[in-house]
């Protein structure tokens, strides 16, 4: 696991009190910075539309964005996560 991935996981856990975090690092040698797919499950997303959820994630990761080249975000509530994994 890369240092960037570890930092992202720590930030998301502390800022969003995530119930579940999955990070797929698909970085390559073509560009600088990490390419990440991120799944975050948090009760803090309850009642918020997708754009507001993504903003919460981006705000939590603001000081790491210079290390990230591409970021794909799935931001789900605990209920959404349970229904999708079933």
């Amino acid at each position: 696991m890369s240092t960037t991935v570890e930092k992202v996981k720590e930030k998301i856990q502390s800022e969003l009190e995530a119930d579940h975090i999955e990070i797929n690092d698909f970085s390559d040698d073509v560009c600088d910075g990490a390419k990440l797919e991120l799944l975050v499950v948090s009760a803090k997303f309850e009642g918020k539309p997708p754009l507001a959820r993504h903003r919460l994630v981006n705000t939590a990761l603001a000081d790491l964005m210079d290390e990230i080249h591409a970021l794909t975000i799935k931001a789900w509530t605990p209920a959404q996560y349970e229904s999708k994994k079933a």
Side-chain angles (χ1 to χ4, degrees):
M1 187 181 299
S2 75
T3 304
T4 301
V5 169
E6 291 167 357
K7 289 183 210 175
V8 166
K9 192 166 194 168
E10 289 171 10
K11 279 295 224 179
I12 293 296
Q13 184 61 50
S14 67
E15 299 285 327
L16 299 177
E17 301 167 10
D19 297 325
H20 182 79
I21 303 168
E22 291 178 20
I23 303 173
N24 180 22
D25 184 351
F26 62 100
S27 302
D28 54 35
D29 296 329
V30 176
C31 64
D32 293 335
K35 294 180 181 178
L36 305 175
E37 292 177 339
L38 179 61
L39 168 62
V40 181
V41 179
S42 175
K44 288 193 173 193
F45 299 145
E46 294 286 349
K48 292 183 173 48
L51 183 58
R53 296 174 185 192
H54 284 224
R55 286 181 177 151
L56 286 171
V57 173
N58 282 321
T59 299
L61 299 178
D63 63 337
L64 298 176
M65 292 309 281
D66 62 335
E67 299 178 31
I68 299 171
H69 174 76
L71 181 63
T72 302
I73 301 169
K74 291 180 184 174
W76 295 344
T77 65
Q80 287 174 314
Y81 178 67
E82 289 302 318
S83 71
K84 290 177 191 267
K85 77 175 192 176

